[in-house]
Amino acid sequence: MKESAQGRPTGADANDVKTALEERLASLAPTKLEIRDDSAKHAGHAGAASGARHFSVTIVSEHFLGLTRVARHRAILERVGDLIPYPVHALAINALAPDEIRTDERKKQ
């Protein structure tokens, strides 16, 4: 991904942004990491007009054991927060500890 002098991506190409998110979240040693580009659902939205994108992240990591939801989100945003508001306009986060994955999957059924 091309980066500016400040280390920010210079384009909002979905694949480049997804790769940047994957690389930055790798330090959390996820056992599961799903990143979905939801931008098409937000076409016409003010954030979309600037070329910024909407993403959803589901991440499972032992790093989250014993952490509150707020602490988990902070851990993620410490790693990717400089990508907001551009090239990421919105980031939906689902951060789970390994022992929560089965419970979360049952809720979706």
Side-chain angles (χ1 to χ4, degrees), residues 37-67:
D37 182 358
D38 296 329
S39 300
K41 295 178 186 176
H42 302 277
H45 181 274
S50 71
R53 308 192 70 82
H54 291 71
F55 286 90
S56 295
V57 171
T58 297
I59 182 170
V60 179
S61 173
E62 289 194 14
H63 179 84
F64 300 137
L65 286 169
L67 295 182

Side-chain angles (χ1 to χ4, degrees), residues 1 11-21 35 37 39 51 53 55:
M1 176 188 313
D13 177 82
N15 290 325
D16 287 348
V17 178
K18 183 177 178 182
T19 298
L21 291 168
I35 301 172
D37 182 358
S39 300
R53 308 192 70 82
F55 286 90

Side-chain angles (χ1 to χ4, degrees), residues 20-37:
L21 291 168
E22 289 169 346
E23 289 172 354
R24 292 172 181 217
L25 295 174
S27 65
L28 293 170
T31 56
K32 177 179 180 180
L33 179 60
E34 294 177 0
I35 301 172
R36 187 178 64 239
D37 182 358

Side-chain angles (χ1 to χ4, degrees), residues 3-10 24 82-83:
E3 293 188 351
S4 68
Q6 294 79 26
R8 288 183 172 215
T10 57
R24 292 172 181 217
D82 66 313
L83 299 176

